[in-house]
Amino acid sequence: MASEGEVVSNKQVILKEYVSGLPKESDLQVTTGSIKLKIPEGCNGILVKNLYLSCDPYIRTRMKNLQLKGAYVDSFQPGSPISGYGVAKVLESEHPNFKKGDLIWGITDWEEYSLITEPETLFKIQDKDMPLSYYTGILGMPGVTAYAGFFEICSPKKGEYVFVSAASGAVGQLVGQFAKLSGCYVVGSAGSKEKVDLLKNKFGFDEAFNYKEEQDLNAALQRYFPEGIDIYFENVGGKMLDAVLLNMRIRGRIAVCGMISQYNLDQPEGVYYLANIILKRIRMEGFLVFDYYHLYPKYLEMVLPKIREGKIVYVEDKAEGLESGPAALTGLFVGRNVGKQVVVVADE
């Protein structure tokens, strides 16, 4: 274990240039720099050792040169480490909320050691009986995303028909289980036979299908939802959204969480059947998890007992070592991961 004030090597994952099209491993570079394990004078931040890093689709948007007014995230700087959600251990703290030895989750850089200068947005990990990697997923940002999007935006009622796209991912697998616990009928779509089996046999979805094997998504949804869809949890966008709009029921709700099919396109696909929102009185709402973090304690209260009782399960896909980070992250966009993709930087 490195001692305070020591200069140690610090492996980092760097974005080489802004990315157009599908991100490739070669767009990212693993380099080794050094860091002094001491907080600079006058800084009230914390110094952490990163343990787990979260691969999330929204990271793709930060790999382009964003010139959106009011964008909720900034572009990464080429030549600098990328950042995202992670789990870390505090090595040194000048901040009153944190002390040496604390475990935290929140935004950190993709490197072995990080100086976090504004730690106010970090969460302290209290429940040490849970796997720490869960705080990149079910007990972290994706968990709150699934909870807020499903319960706050969709207001499910028992017996409703729920469709989840990208259903085996970090968020989708939870939405499906929350829907089942709420007494809904749930169908999920995913991109391989293995993932479809997982949805039905592990996560308890009523039905699931491989969208890559469907020539006509509208026909597929009519097959699985002869009565139509009450709630659609949107992770995909594009052609899937269009097919869903044709199959929604009156007063249906669509929570727009992500649109992974669009992130790598220079020209986004159009949506053709938006007029159905009027005809069916559909409410479609986009949301960001930041707006719902105040519900985190309430969410933990709900989810922790269910994990302990085995009523909710969570599947992770772990990549070992920071050097595996580029492949793990870019693999998200070709569906290589099965479940929540995590990079293991170090054991505690």
Side-chain angles (χ1 to χ4, degrees), residues 9-246:
S9 71
N10 192 25
K11 219 179 278 174
Q12 301 178 312
V13 176
I14 305 284
L15 178 68
K16 287 191 198 166
E17 288 296 338
Y18 289 126
V19 176
S20 171
L22 199 65
K24 306 177 296 297
E25 262 185 81
S26 56
D27 293 322
L28 298 159
Q29 186 179 9
V30 180
T31 63
T32 303
S34 63
I35 185 172
K36 187 174 188 180
L37 297 184
K38 183 140 187 63
I39 297 173
E41 203 68 41
C43 169
N44 69 339
I46 62 174
L47 187 70
V48 301
K49 178 183 182 181
N50 292 312
L51 306 176
Y52 297 95
L53 296 171
S54 178
C55 295
D56 297 299
Y58 85 88
I59 291 177
R60 171 66 187 90
T61 56
R62 302 190 66 189
M63 294 166 84
K64 352 177 166 183
N65 192 1
L66 288 173
Q67 285 159 342
L68 291 172
K69 268 192 180 155
Y72 73 97
V73 286
D74 298 326
S75 298
F76 293 134
Q77 287 306 310
S80 296
I82 65 170
S83 61
Y85 284 90
V87 174
K89 186 172 194 170
V90 178
L91 299 181
E92 197 192 332
S93 171
E94 291 295 334
H95 195 281
N97 296 0
F98 301 95
K99 62 179 193 305
K100 184 177 175 174
D102 281 349
L103 292 162
I104 56 100
W105 71 268
I107 299 286
T108 185
D109 285 342
W110 278 45
E111 55 189 0
E112 290 176 286
Y113 299 93
S114 292
L115 175 66
I116 301 175
T117 54
E118 294 175 358
E120 290 77 14
T121 58
L122 300 174
F123 294 86
K124 212 184 285 191
I125 294 173
Q126 312 288 3
D127 296 277
K128 309 282 170 58
D129 62 321
M130 291 286 144
L132 281 179
S133 56
Y134 274 19
Y135 289 90
T136 64
I138 185 169
L139 298 177
M141 181 273 284
V144 183
T145 302
Y147 177 73
F150 187 62
F151 290 108
E152 296 291 311
I153 288 172
C154 296
S155 309
K157 296 189 255 319
K158 191 177 176 180
E160 287 193 312
Y161 300 101
V162 176
F163 177 49
V164 185
S165 55
S168 68
V171 174
Q173 57 173 295
L174 291 173
V175 174
Q177 293 179 83
F178 294 163
K180 285 309 297 171
L181 289 167
S182 304
C184 298
Y185 175 84
V186 191
V187 179
S189 65
S192 71
K193 184 187 182 305
E194 181 189 5
K195 291 177 183 180
V196 166
D197 290 345
L198 198 64
L199 292 175
K200 293 200 284 197
N201 304 327
K202 181 98 178 171
F203 301 133
F205 282 62
D206 295 288
E207 282 293 346
F209 64 91
N210 180 350
Y211 69 89
K212 291 176 184 170
E213 289 177 356
E214 300 292 343
Q215 299 303 304
D216 182 342
L217 291 172
N218 177 26
L221 291 175
Q222 284 177 359
R223 198 164 73 238
Y224 290 104
F225 294 101
E227 307 283 321
I229 299 166
D230 291 297
I231 289 174
Y232 173 42
F233 198 97
E234 166 69 301
N235 289 311
V236 168
K239 294 178 181 68
M240 185 65 88
L241 175 57
D242 249 339
V244 167
L245 286 168
L246 292 171

